[in-house]
Amino acid sequence: MTDTNGIDAAAAIGAYFAEQTAQARAEAEKANAALAEAERAAAAFAERQELPPAVGGMKQGWEIAGWFTDRSSRIASDAIDGKASREQYDQAKAERQAVLDWLDANGYEVPGPYRR
C-alpha cells in the first residue's frame, strides 16, 4: 500500500517491527548467556562449595557479601514500612552474618564496609 510520496507505510511499519524483534532477540541471547553462566556458577558451588573466579575488580567474596548486605538493608527498610516482619529482618540479618562467617572461614576476602 502506497501512502504519502510513494512510501509504503505498511513496509515501513514492518521494518519497525523487524528492528524491535532483532533487538529483543539480541537481549534474549544476552540474557540466555547470563542465565547459563549463573547456572554453571550455581552448579560449581553446589558441587565443590567454591565461588566462581572473580570478575574484573571484584574479589570473589565481595559480590556475595554485598548482595546479602543489600538484602538485609532492604528487609530492614521494609520492616520499618510494615512490609516485612521483625522476624524476617532478624532472619535476613542472621543469614548475612552466617554468609560473612562462611566467607571468612573459607578464605574469601570481605571488605570492611560489609562488616557493619
Side-chain angles (χ1 to χ4, degrees):
M1 166 185 239
T2 301
D3 197 16
T4 309
N5 299 324
I7 303 290
D8 185 345
I13 292 169
Y16 162 80
F17 284 113
E19 182 177 314
Q20 294 298 307
T21 301
Q23 287 176 347
R25 187 169 287 116
E27 290 171 11
E29 289 171 4
K30 191 184 293 185
N32 285 334
L35 174 61
E37 180 58 34
E39 288 173 337
R40 278 191 297 276
F45 180 77
E47 181 181 319
R48 297 184 301 275
Q49 298 288 296
E50 293 178 358
L51 299 180
V55 177
M58 291 288 271
K59 302 285 184 186
Q60 288 174 308
W62 293 19
E63 185 174 353
I64 290 174
W67 187 88
F68 276 93
T69 298
D70 290 347
R71 178 175 173 265
S72 179
S73 296
R74 273 193 322 273
I75 293 172
S77 179
D78 286 349
I80 290 168
D81 294 340
K83 298 177 198 168
S85 67
R86 176 68 186 200
E87 292 78 21
Q88 289 171 309
Y89 168 68
D90 289 341
Q91 178 68 27
K93 188 176 168 184
E95 287 174 356
R96 178 184 165 277
Q97 189 58 53
V99 167
L100 294 177
D101 292 346
W102 184 91
L103 290 168
D104 281 337
N106 287 280
Y108 294 102
E109 182 180 339
V110 178
Y114 296 123
R115 300 209 172 269
R116 296 182 194 160

